[in-house]
Amino acid sequence: MNYYILKYQLEEIYLEDRGKYRTEHLNLAKETAQTGTLVLAGAMDDPADEALLIFKAPDEAAAKTFAEKDPYVKNGLVKKWSVRKWNVAVGDTH
C-alpha cells in the first residue's frame, strides 16, 4: 500500500459556509475512514486556508474519488485540489 495526500486550497468563505455541507462532508470522511482508506484528515488552523487528507491505498484513485464526491468541492468551498504520493520515511505504516 501507498500513502497519498489530498490537499485542498480553501476559499475565503470556507469557515462561513462549511456548516451547510459539514454533516455530509463528515459522513463521507467517516465512511471512507471505516474502510481503512482515509487515515487522517483536517483543515489547517489560523488561517483555515488549506486542508490535508491522508489516504492509504494501492493508487491515487481513492483520493481523487473522494475529492470528486466531497460536498465541499462540489459546492465551491475548495479553490483547487491535488493528490500527491507521499513516501513515508518514519512512522507506523502497518
Side-chain angles (χ1 to χ4, degrees):
M1 287 290 175
N2 299 306
Y3 286 90
Y4 295 89
I5 295 180
L6 171 59
K7 181 178 180 182
Y8 285 169
Q9 290 183 352
L10 303 172
E11 290 287 356
E12 290 76 20
I13 59 164
Y14 167 75
L15 288 177
E16 298 164 26
D17 288 1
R18 72 177 175 176
K20 300 173 195 174
Y21 314 106
R22 190 166 172 80
T23 298
E24 189 181 352
H25 166 78
L26 290 176
N27 286 342
L28 175 62
K30 289 174 186 176
E31 289 170 13
T32 307
Q34 287 174 348
T35 69
T37 305
L38 180 59
V39 180
L40 295 169
M44 305 302 282
D45 190 27
D46 200 18
D49 59 348
E50 294 181 326
L52 300 175
L53 298 91
I54 300 173
F55 291 81
K56 184 177 181 182
D59 57 39
E60 63 186 25
K64 287 183 174 184
T65 298
F66 182 94
E68 291 164 354
K69 290 181 178 180
D70 191 346
Y72 285 177
V73 173
K74 292 175 12 177
N75 290 286
L77 299 183
V78 176
K79 282 185 205 180
K80 184 172 128 180
W81 60 269
S82 62
V83 176
R84 290 188 62 187
K85 186 176 177 191
W86 183 31
N87 295 320
V88 178
V90 176
D92 183 4
T93 59
H94 302 325

